[in-house]
Amino acid sequence: EAQVTQNPRYLITVTGKKLTVTCSQNMNHEYMSWYRQDPGLGLRQIYYSMNVEVTDKGDVPEGYKVSRKEKRNFPLILESPSPNQTSLYFCASSHHKEGGYTFGSGTRLTVV
Amino acid sequence: QKEVEQNSGPLSVPEGAIASLNCTYSDRGSQSFFWYRQYSGKSPELIMSIYSNGDKEDGRFTAQLNKASQYVSLLIRDSQPSDSATYLCAVNIFGSASGTYKYIFGTGTRLKVLA
């Protein structure tokens, strides 16, 4: 089944403790993105990647890192999480730069 | 001005009616346009994409694009209670200065179909 898999689905962590949210897609898509979704603010792009080793900042990249060492994987790294990063996070992939995205199931992160 | 604007709703329509959802965008460099459906607690799901002016139909859904007026709309015919969800408009904008694409979502319109 074609899908984008994110893990974990739920995560509660403490301020400053490094964490990684994994994302993997099995559709051989070149484009991958990370979004956060907050009430009233909608989906905001954190980082995106156009191919292996090619990444760029979205609208809200502060406090996040990404890497794209393999085409299928695009992990999101929070080096020192803070409470304002409490949010619902989605990974998404697309087969071309003008296409629609397939979303993962989401990761609900709480930073206390 | 937000780059992609939608009325937050809720938009309430009776079962069997046509639901009309609208979205306006500010950047004339916008190249492609999408509608996603998001049920509460779930991830967005792509339901329509449209790339040129006019109408595009897929089952009960019709997307309409008017680049001159900078709006895109989604019509849902014969609305069902199962269509109750938040509908997100997304626009893919090509930045000629940067040479890159930017994918922007609206904040969504909540649709309620009343049985």
Side-chain angles (χ1 to χ4, degrees):
Chain A
E1 179 189 352
Q3 61 185 357
V4 178
T5 303
Q6 284 179 240
N7 280 297
R9 289 293 308 277
Y10 301 92
L11 180 59
I12 301 174
T13 190
V14 296
T15 299
K17 186 176 181 182
K18 181 179 178 180
L19 65 92
T20 299
V21 184
T22 63
C23 174
S24 180
Q25 49 94 5
N26 63 0
M27 297 167 282
N28 201 37
H29 284 174
E30 289 187 353
Y31 290 82
M32 296 185 76
S33 268
W34 275 102
Y35 286 88
R36 61 178 289 174
Q37 188 172 38
D38 302 288
L41 298 177
L43 280 160
R44 293 180 292 166
Q45 192 176 52
I46 303 170
Y47 269 95
Y48 63 96
S49 170
M50 292 156 283
N51 213 326
V52 175
E53 302 291 3
V54 183
T55 63
D56 206 350
K57 296 176 181 178
D59 292 321
V60 288
E62 295 78 19
Y64 304 94
K65 285 176 58 178
V66 293
S67 68
R68 188 95 181 270
K69 293 184 170 54
E70 306 165 283
K71 198 171 188 178
R72 63 183 293 125
N73 295 324
F74 190 43
L76 178 70
I77 302 156
L78 284 72
E79 294 268 3
S80 183
S82 61
N84 64 12
Q85 292 178 298
T86 292
S87 186
L88 178 58
Y89 291 86
F90 289 106
C91 179
S93 72
S94 176
H95 66 294
H96 68 80
K97 60 183 180 291
E98 293 192 60
Y101 275 108
T102 300
F103 279 80
S105 299
T107 296
R108 187 165 290 281
L109 172 67
T110 302
V111 183
V112 297
Chain B
Q1 183 188 6
K2 289 183 183 176
E3 291 178 280
V4 180
E5 293 210 56
Q6 295 180 257
N7 188 318
S8 60
L11 172 66
S12 296
V13 299
E15 184 176 357
I18 296 176
S20 178
L21 303 157
N22 298 313
C23 170
T24 58
Y25 60 94
S26 59
D27 195 319
R28 288 193 177 273
S30 302
Q31 302 277 319
S32 42
F33 308 83
F34 308 89
W35 284 99
Y36 291 80
R37 178 178 60 200
Q38 186 175 25
Y39 292 112
S40 180
K42 302 293 187 183
S43 56
E45 172 194 10
L46 179 67
I47 53 172
M48 290 289 284
S49 57
I50 186 165
Y51 299 92
S52 54
N53 278 329
D55 295 0
K56 179 181 177 183
E57 189 174 316
D58 184 0
R60 295 186 296 112
F61 299 104
T62 298
Q64 299 175 316
L65 175 61
N66 183 324
K67 288 188 176 182
S69 300
Q70 294 178 248
Y71 81 79
V72 56
S73 60
L74 178 71
L75 301 178
I76 306 174
R77 288 181 299 282
D78 189 23
S79 296
Q80 301 297 309
S82 59
D83 295 324
S84 298
T86 296
Y87 289 80
L88 306 172
C89 172
V91 175
N92 203 2
I93 305 168
F94 179 69
S96 54
S98 63
T100 60
Y101 285 83
K102 195 161 116 170
Y103 205 97
I104 306 291
F105 283 86
T107 52
T109 298
R110 190 156 63 98
L111 173 67
K112 295 173 76 171
V113 181
L114 307 172

PDB file of all heavy atoms in Angstrom, chain A residues 31 33 45 48 50 56-58 96-99 101, chain B residues 29-32 91-96 98-104:
ATOM      1  N   TYR A  31       9.727  14.697  -3.738  1.00  0.00           N
ATOM      2  CA  TYR A  31       9.458  15.837  -2.877  1.00  0.00           C
ATOM      3  C   TYR A  31       8.881  15.382  -1.537  1.00  0.00           C
ATOM      4  O   TYR A  31       7.932  14.604  -1.487  1.00  0.00           O
ATOM      5  CB  TYR A  31       8.476  16.793  -3.560  1.00  0.00           C
ATOM      6  CG  TYR A  31       9.100  17.502  -4.724  1.00  0.00           C
ATOM      7  CD1 TYR A  31       9.192  16.876  -5.965  1.00  0.00           C
ATOM      8  CD2 TYR A  31       9.639  18.768  -4.583  1.00  0.00           C
ATOM      9  CE1 TYR A  31       9.812  17.508  -7.042  1.00  0.00           C
ATOM     10  CE2 TYR A  31      10.251  19.408  -5.643  1.00  0.00           C
ATOM     11  CZ  TYR A  31      10.334  18.763  -6.861  1.00  0.00           C
ATOM     12  OH  TYR A  31      10.951  19.392  -7.900  1.00  0.00           O
ATOM     13  N   SER A  33       7.977  17.001   2.592  1.00  0.00           N
ATOM     14  CA  SER A  33       7.831  18.208   3.402  1.00  0.00           C
ATOM     15  C   SER A  33       7.422  17.860   4.814  1.00  0.00           C
ATOM     16  O   SER A  33       6.814  16.810   5.050  1.00  0.00           O
ATOM     17  CB  SER A  33       6.701  19.089   2.823  1.00  0.00           C
ATOM     18  OG  SER A  33       7.164  20.027   1.912  1.00  0.00           O
ATOM     19  N   GLN A  45       4.572  25.215   6.663  1.00  0.00           N
ATOM     20  CA  GLN A  45       5.682  24.378   6.210  1.00  0.00           C
ATOM     21  C   GLN A  45       6.934  24.668   7.028  1.00  0.00           C
ATOM     22  O   GLN A  45       7.339  25.823   7.187  1.00  0.00           O
ATOM     23  CB  GLN A  45       5.944  24.622   4.733  1.00  0.00           C
ATOM     24  CG  GLN A  45       6.870  23.603   4.096  1.00  0.00           C
ATOM     25  CD  GLN A  45       7.027  23.841   2.603  1.00  0.00           C
ATOM     26  OE1 GLN A  45       7.342  24.949   2.173  1.00  0.00           O
ATOM     27  NE2 GLN A  45       6.804  22.814   1.810  1.00  0.00           N
ATOM     28  N   TYR A  48      11.343  21.528   3.517  1.00  0.00           N
ATOM     29  CA  TYR A  48      10.998  20.642   2.426  1.00  0.00           C
ATOM     30  C   TYR A  48      12.271  20.151   1.747  1.00  0.00           C
ATOM     31  O   TYR A  48      13.352  20.715   1.940  1.00  0.00           O
ATOM     32  CB  TYR A  48      10.053  21.314   1.423  1.00  0.00           C
ATOM     33  CG  TYR A  48      10.613  22.515   0.704  1.00  0.00           C
ATOM     34  CD1 TYR A  48      11.177  22.394  -0.568  1.00  0.00           C
ATOM     35  CD2 TYR A  48      10.555  23.782   1.274  1.00  0.00           C
ATOM     36  CE1 TYR A  48      11.670  23.489  -1.237  1.00  0.00           C
ATOM     37  CE2 TYR A  48      11.055  24.890   0.605  1.00  0.00           C
ATOM     38  CZ  TYR A  48      11.598  24.743  -0.649  1.00  0.00           C
ATOM     39  OH  TYR A  48      12.095  25.837  -1.310  1.00  0.00           O
ATOM     40  N   MET A  50      13.668  18.517  -2.082  1.00  0.00           N
ATOM     41  CA  MET A  50      13.361  18.264  -3.491  1.00  0.00           C
ATOM     42  C   MET A  50      14.017  16.993  -3.992  1.00  0.00           C
ATOM     43  O   MET A  50      13.681  16.511  -5.072  1.00  0.00           O
ATOM     44  CB  MET A  50      13.805  19.466  -4.331  1.00  0.00           C
ATOM     45  CG  MET A  50      12.974  20.691  -4.053  1.00  0.00           C
ATOM     46  SD  MET A  50      13.828  22.221  -4.443  1.00  0.00           S
ATOM     47  CE  MET A  50      14.923  22.390  -3.053  1.00  0.00           C
ATOM     48  N   ASP A  56      15.435  22.655   1.978  1.00  0.00           N
ATOM     49  CA  ASP A  56      15.338  24.110   2.095  1.00  0.00           C
ATOM     50  C   ASP A  56      14.308  24.450   3.164  1.00  0.00           C
ATOM     51  O   ASP A  56      13.439  23.640   3.503  1.00  0.00           O
ATOM     52  CB  ASP A  56      14.945  24.749   0.766  1.00  0.00           C
ATOM     53  CG  ASP A  56      15.435  26.188   0.654  1.00  0.00           C
ATOM     54  OD1 ASP A  56      15.917  26.748   1.681  1.00  0.00           O
ATOM     55  OD2 ASP A  56      15.342  26.766  -0.435  1.00  0.00           O
ATOM     56  N   LYS A  57      14.453  25.668   3.683  1.00  0.00           N
ATOM     57  CA  LYS A  57      13.574  26.112   4.754  1.00  0.00           C
ATOM     58  C   LYS A  57      12.193  26.451   4.219  1.00  0.00           C
ATOM     59  O   LYS A  57      12.042  26.988   3.121  1.00  0.00           O
ATOM     60  CB  LYS A  57      14.157  27.363   5.419  1.00  0.00           C
ATOM     61  CG  LYS A  57      15.484  27.122   6.099  1.00  0.00           C
ATOM     62  CD  LYS A  57      16.042  28.433   6.659  1.00  0.00           C
ATOM     63  CE  LYS A  57      17.387  28.205   7.322  1.00  0.00           C
ATOM     64  NZ  LYS A  57      17.965  29.472   7.826  1.00  0.00           N
ATOM     65  N   GLY A  58      11.196  26.156   5.046  1.00  0.00           N
ATOM     66  CA  GLY A  58       9.842  26.604   4.773  1.00  0.00           C
ATOM     67  C   GLY A  58       9.590  27.904   5.516  1.00  0.00           C
ATOM     68  O   GLY A  58      10.499  28.722   5.700  1.00  0.00           O
ATOM     69  N   HIS A  96       5.944  15.022  -7.858  1.00  0.00           N
ATOM     70  CA  HIS A  96       6.620  16.078  -8.609  1.00  0.00           C
ATOM     71  C   HIS A  96       6.317  17.431  -7.997  1.00  0.00           C
ATOM     72  O   HIS A  96       5.408  17.573  -7.170  1.00  0.00           O
ATOM     73  CB  HIS A  96       6.265  16.037 -10.103  1.00  0.00           C
ATOM     74  CG  HIS A  96       4.838  16.390 -10.417  1.00  0.00           C
ATOM     75  ND1 HIS A  96       4.375  17.683 -10.482  1.00  0.00           N
ATOM     76  CD2 HIS A  96       3.786  15.619 -10.718  1.00  0.00           C
ATOM     77  CE1 HIS A  96       3.117  17.677 -10.808  1.00  0.00           C
ATOM     78  NE2 HIS A  96       2.728  16.445 -10.959  1.00  0.00           N
ATOM     79  N   LYS A  97       7.051  18.434  -8.409  1.00  0.00           N
ATOM     80  CA  LYS A  97       7.027  19.720  -7.710  1.00  0.00           C
ATOM     81  C   LYS A  97       5.700  20.435  -7.832  1.00  0.00           C
ATOM     82  O   LYS A  97       5.393  21.309  -7.044  1.00  0.00           O
ATOM     83  CB  LYS A  97       8.157  20.619  -8.218  1.00  0.00           C
ATOM     84  CG  LYS A  97       8.116  20.951  -9.710  1.00  0.00           C
ATOM     85  CD  LYS A  97       9.328  21.788 -10.078  1.00  0.00           C
ATOM     86  CE  LYS A  97       9.325  22.150 -11.558  1.00  0.00           C
ATOM     87  NZ  LYS A  97       9.543  21.001 -12.433  1.00  0.00           N
ATOM     88  N   GLU A  98       4.878  20.060  -8.799  1.00  0.00           N
ATOM     89  CA  GLU A  98       3.581  20.719  -8.941  1.00  0.00           C
ATOM     90  C   GLU A  98       2.431  19.818  -8.536  1.00  0.00           C
ATOM     91  O   GLU A  98       1.283  20.116  -8.814  1.00  0.00           O
ATOM     92  CB  GLU A  98       3.398  21.174 -10.389  1.00  0.00           C
ATOM     93  CG  GLU A  98       4.351  22.280 -10.797  1.00  0.00           C
ATOM     94  CD  GLU A  98       3.952  22.901 -12.121  1.00  0.00           C
ATOM     95  OE1 GLU A  98       2.838  23.439 -12.210  1.00  0.00           O
ATOM     96  OE2 GLU A  98       4.764  22.829 -13.067  1.00  0.00           O
ATOM     97  N   GLY A  99       2.752  18.725  -7.882  1.00  0.00           N
ATOM     98  CA  GLY A  99       1.716  17.755  -7.551  1.00  0.00           C
ATOM     99  C   GLY A  99       1.133  17.941  -6.174  1.00  0.00           C
ATOM    100  O   GLY A  99       1.621  18.727  -5.363  1.00  0.00           O
ATOM    101  N   TYR A 101       0.089  16.475  -2.360  1.00  0.00           N
ATOM    102  CA  TYR A 101       0.836  15.725  -1.366  1.00  0.00           C
ATOM    103  C   TYR A 101       0.023  14.560  -0.795  1.00  0.00           C
ATOM    104  O   TYR A 101      -1.193  14.644  -0.642  1.00  0.00           O
ATOM    105  CB  TYR A 101       1.222  16.640  -0.195  1.00  0.00           C
ATOM    106  CG  TYR A 101       2.493  17.424  -0.412  1.00  0.00           C
ATOM    107  CD1 TYR A 101       2.463  18.791  -0.642  1.00  0.00           C
ATOM    108  CD2 TYR A 101       3.736  16.803  -0.360  1.00  0.00           C
ATOM    109  CE1 TYR A 101       3.636  19.513  -0.817  1.00  0.00           C
ATOM    110  CE2 TYR A 101       4.912  17.520  -0.537  1.00  0.00           C
ATOM    111  CZ  TYR A 101       4.852  18.862  -0.761  1.00  0.00           C
ATOM    112  OH  TYR A 101       6.011  19.565  -0.936  1.00  0.00           O
TER     113      TYR A 101
ATOM    114  N   GLY B  29       1.877  34.412  -9.204  1.00  0.00           N
ATOM    115  CA  GLY B  29       2.799  33.364  -9.626  1.00  0.00           C
ATOM    116  C   GLY B  29       2.301  31.968  -9.292  1.00  0.00           C
ATOM    117  O   GLY B  29       2.992  30.981  -9.530  1.00  0.00           O
ATOM    118  N   SER B  30       1.117  31.879  -8.738  1.00  0.00           N
ATOM    119  CA  SER B  30       0.554  30.588  -8.352  1.00  0.00           C
ATOM    120  C   SER B  30       0.342  29.722  -9.579  1.00  0.00           C
ATOM    121  O   SER B  30      -0.219  30.156 -10.578  1.00  0.00           O
ATOM    122  CB  SER B  30      -0.772  30.789  -7.613  1.00  0.00           C
ATOM    123  OG  SER B  30      -0.589  31.608  -6.474  1.00  0.00           O
ATOM    124  N   GLN B  31       0.813  28.472  -9.468  1.00  0.00           N
ATOM    125  CA  GLN B  31       0.827  27.611 -10.638  1.00  0.00           C
ATOM    126  C   GLN B  31      -0.209  26.496 -10.583  1.00  0.00           C
ATOM    127  O   GLN B  31      -0.779  26.114 -11.587  1.00  0.00           O
ATOM    128  CB  GLN B  31       2.204  26.928 -10.733  1.00  0.00           C
ATOM    129  CG  GLN B  31       3.357  27.884 -10.824  1.00  0.00           C
ATOM    130  CD  GLN B  31       3.589  28.358 -12.234  1.00  0.00           C
ATOM    131  OE1 GLN B  31       3.511  27.584 -13.162  1.00  0.00           O
ATOM    132  NE2 GLN B  31       3.878  29.637 -12.401  1.00  0.00           N
ATOM    133  N   SER B  32      -0.398  25.935  -9.403  1.00  0.00           N
ATOM    134  CA  SER B  32      -1.283  24.792  -9.283  1.00  0.00           C
ATOM    135  C   SER B  32      -2.047  24.895  -7.967  1.00  0.00           C
ATOM    136  O   SER B  32      -1.580  25.523  -7.016  1.00  0.00           O
ATOM    137  CB  SER B  32      -0.491  23.481  -9.375  1.00  0.00           C
ATOM    138  OG  SER B  32       0.702  23.548  -8.648  1.00  0.00           O
ATOM    139  N   VAL B  91      -2.105  26.157  -2.495  1.00  0.00           N
ATOM    140  CA  VAL B  91      -1.637  26.788  -3.721  1.00  0.00           C
ATOM    141  C   VAL B  91      -0.129  26.576  -3.830  1.00  0.00           C
ATOM    142  O   VAL B  91       0.600  26.769  -2.847  1.00  0.00           O
ATOM    143  CB  VAL B  91      -1.957  28.299  -3.694  1.00  0.00           C
ATOM    144  CG1 VAL B  91      -1.379  28.992  -4.901  1.00  0.00           C
ATOM    145  CG2 VAL B  91      -3.459  28.519  -3.609  1.00  0.00           C
ATOM    146  N   ASN B  92       0.312  26.173  -4.998  1.00  0.00           N
ATOM    147  CA  ASN B  92       1.740  25.997  -5.257  1.00  0.00           C
ATOM    148  C   ASN B  92       2.220  27.219  -6.039  1.00  0.00           C
ATOM    149  O   ASN B  92       1.771  27.464  -7.156  1.00  0.00           O
ATOM    150  CB  ASN B  92       1.958  24.714  -6.056  1.00  0.00           C
ATOM    151  CG  ASN B  92       3.349  24.160  -5.893  1.00  0.00           C
ATOM    152  OD1 ASN B  92       4.163  24.696  -5.154  1.00  0.00           O
ATOM    153  ND2 ASN B  92       3.642  23.078  -6.584  1.00  0.00           N
ATOM    154  N   ILE B  93       3.117  27.974  -5.432  1.00  0.00           N
ATOM    155  CA  ILE B  93       3.553  29.249  -6.008  1.00  0.00           C
ATOM    156  C   ILE B  93       4.983  29.126  -6.486  1.00  0.00           C
ATOM    157  O   ILE B  93       5.858  28.687  -5.727  1.00  0.00           O
ATOM    158  CB  ILE B  93       3.463  30.374  -4.951  1.00  0.00           C
ATOM    159  CG1 ILE B  93       2.051  30.461  -4.368  1.00  0.00           C
ATOM    160  CG2 ILE B  93       3.895  31.707  -5.543  1.00  0.00           C
ATOM    161  CD1 ILE B  93       1.949  31.334  -3.144  1.00  0.00           C
ATOM    162  N   PHE B  94       5.229  29.536  -7.709  1.00  0.00           N
ATOM    163  CA  PHE B  94       6.596  29.542  -8.213  1.00  0.00           C
ATOM    164  C   PHE B  94       7.197  30.923  -8.013  1.00  0.00           C
ATOM    165  O   PHE B  94       6.644  31.921  -8.501  1.00  0.00           O
ATOM    166  CB  PHE B  94       6.630  29.182  -9.697  1.00  0.00           C
ATOM    167  CG  PHE B  94       8.021  29.208 -10.268  1.00  0.00           C
ATOM    168  CD1 PHE B  94       8.953  28.257  -9.894  1.00  0.00           C
ATOM    169  CD2 PHE B  94       8.404  30.204 -11.159  1.00  0.00           C
ATOM    170  CE1 PHE B  94      10.242  28.277 -10.402  1.00  0.00           C
ATOM    171  CE2 PHE B  94       9.688  30.241 -11.686  1.00  0.00           C
ATOM    172  CZ  PHE B  94      10.611  29.273 -11.300  1.00  0.00           C
ATOM    173  N   GLY B  95       8.300  30.982  -7.296  1.00  0.00           N
ATOM    174  CA  GLY B  95       8.982  32.245  -7.076  1.00  0.00           C
ATOM    175  C   GLY B  95      10.033  32.464  -8.151  1.00  0.00           C
ATOM    176  O   GLY B  95      11.049  31.755  -8.168  1.00  0.00           O
ATOM    177  N   SER B  96       9.790  33.420  -9.033  1.00  0.00           N
ATOM    178  CA  SER B  96      10.725  33.613 -10.154  1.00  0.00           C
ATOM    179  C   SER B  96      12.085  34.090  -9.657  1.00  0.00           C
ATOM    180  O   SER B  96      13.117  33.793 -10.249  1.00  0.00           O
ATOM    181  CB  SER B  96      10.146  34.605 -11.162  1.00  0.00           C
ATOM    182  OG  SER B  96       9.783  35.810 -10.517  1.00  0.00           O
ATOM    183  N   SER B  98      13.508  33.289  -6.685  1.00  0.00           N
ATOM    184  CA  SER B  98      14.207  32.192  -6.007  1.00  0.00           C
ATOM    185  C   SER B  98      14.345  30.957  -6.884  1.00  0.00           C
ATOM    186  O   SER B  98      15.205  30.109  -6.651  1.00  0.00           O
ATOM    187  CB  SER B  98      13.472  31.817  -4.719  1.00  0.00           C
ATOM    188  OG  SER B  98      12.164  31.331  -5.034  1.00  0.00           O
ATOM    189  N   GLY B  99      13.463  30.849  -7.881  1.00  0.00           N
ATOM    190  CA  GLY B  99      13.474  29.654  -8.732  1.00  0.00           C
ATOM    191  C   GLY B  99      12.954  28.421  -8.025  1.00  0.00           C
ATOM    192  O   GLY B  99      13.200  27.295  -8.460  1.00  0.00           O
ATOM    193  N   THR B 100      12.240  28.624  -6.926  1.00  0.00           N
ATOM    194  CA  THR B 100      11.714  27.479  -6.180  1.00  0.00           C
ATOM    195  C   THR B 100      10.203  27.603  -6.027  1.00  0.00           C
ATOM    196  O   THR B 100       9.628  28.665  -6.240  1.00  0.00           O
ATOM    197  CB  THR B 100      12.353  27.391  -4.790  1.00  0.00           C
ATOM    198  OG1 THR B 100      12.052  28.597  -4.068  1.00  0.00           O
ATOM    199  CG2 THR B 100      13.863  27.233  -4.877  1.00  0.00           C
ATOM    200  N   TYR B 101       9.605  26.483  -5.661  1.00  0.00           N
ATOM    201  CA  TYR B 101       8.172  26.445  -5.420  1.00  0.00           C
ATOM    202  C   TYR B 101       7.888  26.556  -3.929  1.00  0.00           C
ATOM    203  O   TYR B 101       8.637  26.062  -3.104  1.00  0.00           O
ATOM    204  CB  TYR B 101       7.581  25.134  -5.951  1.00  0.00           C
ATOM    205  CG  TYR B 101       7.458  25.086  -7.445  1.00  0.00           C
ATOM    206  CD1 TYR B 101       8.534  24.732  -8.249  1.00  0.00           C
ATOM    207  CD2 TYR B 101       6.254  25.411  -8.072  1.00  0.00           C
ATOM    208  CE1 TYR B 101       8.416  24.692  -9.625  1.00  0.00           C
ATOM    209  CE2 TYR B 101       6.134  25.373  -9.445  1.00  0.00           C
ATOM    210  CZ  TYR B 101       7.219  25.016 -10.212  1.00  0.00           C
ATOM    211  OH  TYR B 101       7.102  24.980 -11.579  1.00  0.00           O
ATOM    212  N   LYS B 102       6.762  27.202  -3.618  1.00  0.00           N
ATOM    213  CA  LYS B 102       6.323  27.320  -2.236  1.00  0.00           C
ATOM    214  C   LYS B 102       4.880  26.836  -2.188  1.00  0.00           C
ATOM    215  O   LYS B 102       4.052  27.266  -2.982  1.00  0.00           O
ATOM    216  CB  LYS B 102       6.393  28.782  -1.807  1.00  0.00           C
ATOM    217  CG  LYS B 102       6.311  29.016  -0.327  1.00  0.00           C
ATOM    218  CD  LYS B 102       6.853  30.419  -0.024  1.00  0.00           C
ATOM    219  CE  LYS B 102       5.785  31.296   0.541  1.00  0.00           C
ATOM    220  NZ  LYS B 102       6.296  32.567   1.067  1.00  0.00           N
ATOM    221  N   TYR B 103       4.600  25.941  -1.257  1.00  0.00           N
ATOM    222  CA  TYR B 103       3.291  25.288  -1.176  1.00  0.00           C
ATOM    223  C   TYR B 103       2.604  25.835   0.056  1.00  0.00           C
ATOM    224  O   TYR B 103       3.012  25.560   1.167  1.00  0.00           O
ATOM    225  CB  TYR B 103       3.530  23.776  -1.051  1.00  0.00           C
ATOM    226  CG  TYR B 103       2.433  22.874  -1.514  1.00  0.00           C
ATOM    227  CD1 TYR B 103       2.469  22.320  -2.789  1.00  0.00           C
ATOM    228  CD2 TYR B 103       1.393  22.533  -0.673  1.00  0.00           C
ATOM    229  CE1 TYR B 103       1.479  21.457  -3.215  1.00  0.00           C
ATOM    230  CE2 TYR B 103       0.405  21.672  -1.090  1.00  0.00           C
ATOM    231  CZ  TYR B 103       0.447  21.124  -2.355  1.00  0.00           C
ATOM    232  OH  TYR B 103      -0.521  20.262  -2.774  1.00  0.00           O
ATOM    233  N   ILE B 104       1.537  26.597  -0.145  1.00  0.00           N
ATOM    234  CA  ILE B 104       0.884  27.310   0.952  1.00  0.00           C
ATOM    235  C   ILE B 104      -0.543  26.783   1.136  1.00  0.00           C
ATOM    236  O   ILE B 104      -1.287  26.658   0.158  1.00  0.00           O
ATOM    237  CB  ILE B 104       0.796  28.821   0.659  1.00  0.00           C
ATOM    238  CG1 ILE B 104       2.170  29.382   0.334  1.00  0.00           C
ATOM    239  CG2 ILE B 104       0.174  29.559   1.836  1.00  0.00           C
ATOM    240  CD1 ILE B 104       3.114  29.414   1.493  1.00  0.00           C
TER     241      ILE B 104
END
